Amino acid sequence: MKTLNLGILAHVDAGKTSLTERLLHTAGVIDEPGSVDAGSTRTDTMALERQRGITIRSAVVAFTVAGITVNLIDTPGHPDFIAEVERVLGVLDGAVLVVSAVEGVQAQTRVLARTLHRLGIPTLLFVNKVDRYGADPDAVLRQIADRLTPDVVALGRVVAAGTPAARWLPAAPQDPDHTTRLVDLLTAHDDALLTTYVRDECAVTATRLRAALAAQTARARVHPVHAGSAITGAGVDDLLTGIAELLPATEGDDTAPLSGTVFKVERGPAGEKIAYARIFAGIVRVRDRIRYRGGHEAKVTAIAVFADGDAVARDAVGAGRIARLHGLTDVRVGDHLGTPPARPAGRHHFSPPTLETVVVPDRPADRPAMHAALTQLAEQDPLINLRQDDLRQEIAVSLYGEVQKEVIQATLADEYGVPVTFRETTTVCVERVIGVGAAVEWIGKDPNPFLGTVGLRIEPAPVGSGIEFRLGIELGSMPMAFLKAVEETVRETLRQGLHGWAVLDCLVTLTHGGYWARQSHAHGVFDKSMSSTAGDFRNLTPLVLMTALRRAGTRVHEPVHRFHLDLPADLLGTVLPVLATLDAVPRSATLRGGSYLLDGDVPAGQVHALEQRLPALTRGEGTLESEFDHHRPVRGPVPSRPRWDHDPLHRKEYLLAVARRVTARPER
Ligand SMILES: Nc1nc2c(ncn2[C@@H]2O[C@H](COP(=O)(O)OP(=O)(O)OP(=O)(O)O)[C@@H](O)[C@H]2O)c(=O)[nH]1
Ligand SMILES: [Mg+2]
């Protein structure tokens, strides 16, 4: 049986969870669609999700349509939970991008559309909420073409938009206008179709066009647009047909070696780990031992797959499917099972968190429990970083925003029984290398306390290029283990630059390398005082690199968000001076109807303040959206971050070795 792993993505509140319910209902899995407002949906199951009416975690439900098993992944739309979207992207065969017919294309819609496009994920668009007052599906379609992609085609139209009686009328296959629109779009990407059409228009039948549409949708070249309402059900049956006919369901190869990806890790009632994995190839059976992440291996103790709205226990799960696997004790989000899949997980698709806060337990005795709980949460959320400072007994988490902070607080209190508060939220800056710097320490030459020669040069690299490590010495001139130790330590060291912030985008070249080969005494005992080890390189590299970095110099940059502010036109004069006090810089202002649309830049650290002031400033009528855009050099005093305990420069071995340096080293 074919499977389609389908993500439902959208800006917050566009109606993803409601649409998921409606699709389950239309597919015949549930008698009555649940309601977000009543807290009765299949996918918003956390207490917090039900209380707040927002999705926090992604969830999987399945139904069958036209002989295809569709695993539907409902994702959260709030930008604070983008990590949840991030990790499902790698397992999708297709997506439905939902756009509200009232609010139109929103900030997160653009972020998601860009990412889906970059990853080449076949995507249908669904213009939802056509029944709501103010819905304007035609205007939204124009916005989609203007702001998301011109390669879209509506497969029908809405009548009585903005009323509860709104309906979706699918275009008739022979409708000449519709045919012209389809031909225009499809021939732009398909020369064979164009040639046939030019020779004989009649040869391009409606069936042929539909097949061409499916083929180009599968290649993510074009995006069919449906519209309707998750609440009244208008247009949802036609969307279901589109999902089955236009998106590429797969039939994986069960006989191939196992290859899968873990995209979600949950804890069961007894605290055991449950991994959600997409199996790309091969088959997993209960009691199979499977390999994942480096050398880890574990036995699968139970398997469940998704079917007809439920998770059902199975003895095995085959290629193409999504399964819940029990028994993989050390598993983490992003782990590959068996052979790594053809589609590499690669870099993160969205920008990393730009805020950070120190978490403080209300009861000091809860510190170990809080630490364990936060570690578990970070495991479930690969974009959350924990930074721990043993000296100060503090732990900090990185954050996307204030809502995520509230969720962490509620989760710690409700699920782990650990009430906490947060210190003030601070901005996470970065450092960029500004010049070229080099340094070298020679083996056996003071003040180098380690048995190794390391020379490094550091220089700036283009924005977004990451940290590149190059060998400026012959590959064979040092054992591989030592080279690896240097490279790994370079990357670790650059997590904290001269001011304590992560250093981005630079090229580091190993210019010198040397070691003393393994030496033994006559009686065969390894003599550490005469033989280089990987540890020497791990300890020496930070010293050399930091000296080189100091010579190169860095500049601290702060994260800047692009904001989109919609406010009543008469208030522009009141709002502009406030923006200035928050260091927000408007880039453009467009008058649309009775309101101004302001686009501009605002430092990430001021977004929350702006959000808080907005209701009072705009009589509650203003709306603000923002997303991370770029880093810019900090103006004014340079913020620095205290160095944390994983800092290689503070490592115990290093301090011990330096101490040893002052005592005599054995003569060679
Ligand atoms: N009138 C109308 N209301 C809708 C429709 N779809 C969703 N809603 C309402 O819009 C609100 C948000 O719906 P959700 O389904 O939770 O939206 P979501 O996209 O899942 O939201 P997040 O997961 O939090 O990003 C709820 O109050 C729904 O009842 C629709 O088609 N018509
Ligand atoms: Mg939702």
Side-chain angles (χ1 to χ4, degrees):
M1 194 177 195
K2 285 190 167 184
T3 309
L4 178 73
N5 297 304
L6 180 67
I8 309 269
L9 280 70
H11 189 93
V12 65
D13 261 358
K16 297 171 290 296
T17 303
S18 307
L19 182 61
T20 302
E21 286 296 316
R22 182 55 70 173
L23 283 167
L24 286 176
H25 174 70
T26 308
V29 169
I30 52 176
D31 294 338
E32 275 307 314
S35 147
V36 171
D37 309 292
S40 58
T41 65
R42 264 53 172 191
T43 51
D44 283 354
T45 51
M46 287 168 66
L48 259 177
E49 292 180 318
R50 297 192 158 188
Q51 278 158 24
R52 287 175 159 260
I54 63 167
T55 304
I56 295 168
R57 298 252 173 261
S58 56
V60 187
V61 284
F63 60 82
T64 308
V65 56
I68 301 168
T69 299
V70 180
N71 288 318
L72 208 59
I73 310 182
D74 179 23
T75 63
H78 196 287
D80 281 14
F81 308 116
I82 192 79
E84 291 288 312
V85 183
E86 160 105 25
R87 58 211 200 162
V88 306
L89 286 173
V91 305
L92 298 182
D93 300 309
V96 173
L97 183 62
V98 182
V99 185
S100 161
V102 182
E103 282 83 13
V105 170
Q106 295 171 279
Q108 196 72 350
T109 326
R110 278 191 295 262
V111 171
L112 294 168
R114 268 201 307 268
T115 308
L116 289 167
H117 177 75
R118 199 168 55 234
L119 296 175
I121 296 176
T123 302
L124 303 183
L125 286 114
F126 185 71
V127 178
N128 189 33
K129 302 196 183 184
V130 299
D131 61 305
R132 248 185 60 190
Y133 175 75
D136 189 349
D138 292 336
V140 172
L141 190 64
R142 285 194 297 275
Q143 272 181 17
I144 289 172
D146 284 352
R147 299 189 202 170
L148 299 183
T149 163
D151 297 322
V152 285
V153 59
L155 300 187
R157 66 191 171 86
V158 177
V159 290
T163 73
R167 275 184 308 133
W168 166 251
L169 293 183
Q174 314 301 344
D175 176 342
D177 287 346
H178 179 62
T179 306
T180 310
R181 276 200 304 274
L182 267 183
V183 166
D184 282 352
L185 181 68
L186 296 174
T187 51
H189 303 285
D190 183 343
D191 288 344
L193 188 70
L194 178 63
T195 315
T196 317
Y197 185 75
V198 171
R199 280 209 197 108
D200 176 12
E201 281 186 25
C202 300
V204 180
T205 59
T207 318
R208 167 108 196 242
L209 276 180
R210 184 83 174 172
L213 180 64
Q216 293 194 27
T217 306
R219 291 207 303 271
R221 287 279 181 73
V222 303
H223 306 289
V225 183
H226 289 253
S229 162
I231 297 298
T232 67
V236 177
D237 47 354
D238 197 41
L239 173 67
L240 202 58
T241 309
I243 290 171
E245 290 183 9
L246 300 174
L247 290 175
T250 55
E251 210 155 12
D253 181 359
D254 284 354
T255 60
L258 173 66
S259 171
T261 297
V262 175
F263 64 94
K264 171 174 167 134
V265 173
E266 216 176 54
R267 297 258 169 188
E272 76 281 14
K273 277 193 182 174
I274 305 169
Y276 285 63
R278 153 119 197 220
I279 311 300
F280 285 93
I283 197 161
V284 180
R285 294 186 187 80
V286 175
R287 285 186 294 282
D288 276 359
R289 291 195 74 81
I290 55 181
R291 295 170 137 270
Y292 53 96
R293 202 177 65 252
H296 290 270
E297 205 181 270
K299 191 154 86 178
V300 177
T301 54
I303 296 175
V305 298
F306 297 91
D308 295 341
D310 263 322
V312 249
R314 286 283 153 82
D315 293 335
V317 53
R321 304 294 299 262
I322 283 177
R324 255 178 17 191
L325 306 176
H326 294 244
L328 311 182
T329 35
D330 303 313
V331 77
R332 285 196 214 139
V333 170
D335 278 354
H336 298 308
L337 307 179
T339 326
R343 224 192 281 176
R347 313 191 315 146
H348 287 313
H349 306 303
F350 301 108
S351 350
T354 53
L355 304 171
E356 171 174 276
T357 182
V358 171
V359 196
V360 187
D362 289 358
R363 303 179 294 246
D366 278 347
R367 196 173 295 282
M370 179 188 85
H371 184 255
L374 281 172
T375 309
Q376 275 192 12
L377 291 182
E379 248 167 43
Q380 294 168 14
D381 209 333
L383 289 182
I384 285 193
N385 289 311
L386 292 186
R387 292 195 313 123
Q388 199 199 327
D389 181 349
D390 285 343
L391 221 61
R392 266 167 295 218
Q393 292 272 302
E394 279 182 357
I395 188 159
V397 290
S398 54
L399 289 173
Y400 280 99
E402 296 296 317
V403 178
Q404 188 190 11
K405 191 161 110 178
E406 286 171 37
V407 169
I408 291 176
Q409 189 172 35
T411 310
L412 288 175
D414 302 345
E415 288 179 25
Y416 297 90
V418 180
V420 299
T421 46
F422 299 95
R423 296 249 187 83
E424 178 194 0
T425 304
T426 52
T427 306
V428 178
C429 294
V430 298
E431 292 180 42
R432 289 196 184 285
V433 180
I434 46 182
V436 181
V440 58
E441 287 284 345
W442 301 95
I443 192 164
K445 234 185 176 181
D446 265 354
N448 180 3
F450 302 108
L451 296 190
T453 295
V454 171
L456 292 167
R457 185 175 64 236
I458 186 162
E459 55 202 289
V463 172
S465 61
I467 294 170
E468 193 187 340
F469 179 79
R470 268 193 213 159
L471 289 185
I473 59 170
E474 295 277 313
L475 184 60
S477 60
M478 283 231 288
M480 215 41 208
F482 296 172
L483 292 175
K484 257 185 94 179
V486 174
E487 173 167 3
E488 281 170 17
T489 315
V490 161
R491 294 184 188 280
E492 191 186 330
T493 306
L494 291 176
R495 286 169 59 182
Q496 300 190 80
L498 301 178
H499 302 272
W501 307 106
V503 179
L504 303 185
D505 309 327
C506 58
L507 168 62
V508 178
T509 310
L510 181 66
T511 53
H512 302 77
Y515 67 105
W516 283 345
R518 190 181 170 88
Q519 312 251 345
S520 302
H521 289 302
H523 47 80
V525 179
F526 170 62
D527 183 352
K528 169 68 193 90
S529 69
M530 295 155 63
S531 323
S532 304
T533 64
D536 286 307
F537 289 92
R538 289 193 195 282
N539 287 316
L540 180 56
T541 299
L543 304 182
V544 178
L545 184 59
M546 290 308 277
T547 308
L549 189 64
R550 223 165 274 131
R551 290 176 181 157
T554 66
R555 183 171 295 138
V556 175
H557 288 237
E558 64 179 343
V560 177
H561 281 220
R562 173 52 57 105
F563 73 81
H564 315 273
L565 180 57
D566 190 339
L567 77 171
D570 61 310
L571 294 177
L572 187 66
T574 327
V575 171
L576 284 179
V578 178
L579 290 180
T581 62
L582 295 172
D583 210 8
V585 183
R587 301 263 170 228
S588 70
T590 325
L591 188 59
R592 195 194 292 159
S595 58
Y596 261 112
L597 278 184
L598 281 185
D599 273 7
D601 295 340
V602 58
Q606 300 287 13
V607 171
H608 185 57
L610 183 54
E611 273 166 5
Q612 285 191 315
R613 297 195 55 178
L614 201 63
L617 273 176
T618 61
R619 305 186 291 258
E621 292 171 57
T623 58
L624 175 75
E625 291 173 356
S626 87
E627 77 260 1
F628 169 82
D629 194 62
H630 62 279
H631 285 104
R632 73 170 180 208
V634 166
R635 301 161 190 168
V638 175
S640 63
R641 176 158 75 171
R643 306 195 74 84
W644 291 68
D645 84 7
H646 67 249
D647 178 356
L649 286 176
H650 283 182
R651 249 215 293 262
K652 206 162 72 199
E653 307 90 271
Y654 160 66
L655 295 172
L656 285 176
V658 172
R660 270 206 309 277
R661 179 180 91 190
V662 291
T663 65
R665 190 147 20 88
E667 280 301 314
R668 233 177 92 80

